[in-house]
Amino acid sequence: DVKVTQSSRYLVKRTGEKVFLECVQDMDHENMFWYRQDPGLGLRLIYFSYDVKMKEKGDIPEGYSVSREKKERFSLILESASTNQTSMYLCASSLGQSGGEQYFGPGTRLTVT
Amino acid sequence: AQTVTQSQPEMSVQEAETVTLSCTYDTSENNYYLFWYKQPPSRQMILVIRQEAYKQQNATENRFSVNFQKAAKSFSLKISDSQLGDTAMYFCAFSPPYNDYKLSFGAGTTVTVRA
């Protein structure tokens, strides 16, 4: 079974802090994704990566950056956390094929105070 | 991003009954993929069912089936013989044909199965 893990289930940070969210997948998938999930808005893509050191912006990249130094690991970085970044963050991975299934991690609920 | 609309924020169904979740989408593509994902409370999101637009036959996975109406851009999910474990948020999603990264999600429908 594909396993996607995220470093924290719950995280509380202060405004202005630098925040790292880590995601690891164990199935040698090419693609990895970061989404944020908000009530009434569904999932929105922040960034994705299709290969090591490769990244592309999704629909809402402002205020975020990412890092993919190894194929299995994809990090989301909030350079200076703000209260409007309080949300559920979901990581996912998939094989690089059209119409392929995405496999999700358990999510990190981030609260910025 | 493509627009995916789920017009039912919440639905409730009695155990063993049938419930149908609606989803509409907007695209100019002729070929694409549609998905229903399930997110149980405090658990990971998983794929329920997938439909390829060029296939006319509606996809079925055990108690889950879809009604895909390409001309109407409609993709509903039917859960038959509902079970307590079906309680979850369900997301409809759209993917274009050329890669799988541009997955666009609807807002979700929370389904509660009552005992």
Side-chain angles (χ1 to χ4, degrees):
Chain A
D1 283 349
V2 176
K3 195 167 184 183
V4 180
T5 57
Q6 296 182 228
S7 50
S8 305
R9 289 300 300 270
Y10 300 94
L11 209 53
V12 179
K13 295 292 182 180
R14 294 198 179 273
T15 302
E17 279 193 83
K18 191 169 186 176
V19 181
F20 292 87
L21 303 182
E22 300 272 312
C23 175
V24 177
Q25 51 95 3
D26 67 357
M27 284 300 291
D28 203 35
H29 282 171
E30 284 81 8
N31 295 350
M32 295 189 75
F33 311 83
W34 276 106
Y35 295 92
R36 65 176 281 176
Q37 180 180 359
D38 298 290
L41 297 177
L43 277 72
R44 293 177 292 167
L45 182 64
I46 303 171
Y47 267 97
F48 74 97
S49 169
Y50 52 90
D51 202 351
V52 175
K53 297 189 186 295
M54 306 303 289
K55 61 185 180 184
E56 286 200 23
K57 295 179 180 179
D59 298 316
I60 52 165
E62 297 79 19
Y64 304 94
S65 62
V66 291
S67 173
R68 194 170 180 196
E69 296 296 321
K70 293 185 177 181
K71 190 173 186 179
E72 68 271 18
R73 189 179 299 269
F74 192 37
S75 302
L76 180 69
I77 304 154
L78 288 66
E79 294 288 343
S80 177
S82 63
T83 55
N84 63 13
Q85 292 178 310
T86 291
S87 187
M88 171 70 86
Y89 290 87
L90 296 178
C91 175
S93 72
S94 72
L95 289 169
Q97 57 186 211
S98 182
E101 176 180 356
Q102 291 191 12
Y103 297 84
F104 286 83
T108 295
R109 185 164 295 281
L110 173 67
T111 302
V112 183
T113 62
Chain B
Q2 308 290 341
T3 302
V4 179
T5 302
Q6 294 179 248
S7 58
Q8 305 148 314
E10 296 181 1
M11 299 192 76
S12 181
V13 61
Q14 193 71 32
E15 199 174 8
E17 298 292 309
T18 295
V19 63
T20 300
L21 284 59
S22 66
C23 173
T24 58
Y25 56 94
D26 183 28
T27 185
S28 58
E29 302 280 355
N30 187 50
N31 194 22
Y32 44 87
Y33 298 86
L34 295 163
F35 307 83
W36 279 99
Y37 279 87
K38 170 185 177 181
Q39 186 180 41
S42 301
R43 292 179 61 188
Q44 288 169 247
M45 185 151 2
I46 57 172
L47 178 66
V48 174
I49 200 163
R50 174 175 57 192
Q51 176 79 41
E52 297 169 72
Y54 67 87
K55 289 187 176 179
Q56 292 186 336
Q57 187 171 5
N58 288 324
T60 299
E61 288 287 343
N62 300 313
R63 298 180 295 105
F64 297 86
S65 61
V66 298
N67 182 6
F68 173 49
Q69 301 288 328
K70 191 172 184 180
K73 297 180 183 176
S74 170
F75 183 60
S76 61
L77 175 70
K78 184 170 79 172
I79 307 174
S80 304
D81 185 25
S82 296
Q83 300 176 1
L84 296 178
D86 296 333
T87 292
M89 180 165 278
Y90 289 81
F91 292 95
C92 178
F94 171 99
S95 175
Y98 32 86
N99 54 54
D100 72 333
Y101 67 82
K102 278 290 187 181
L103 205 57
S104 299
F105 286 85
T109 298
T110 299
V111 173
T112 302
V113 180
R114 307 185 309 274

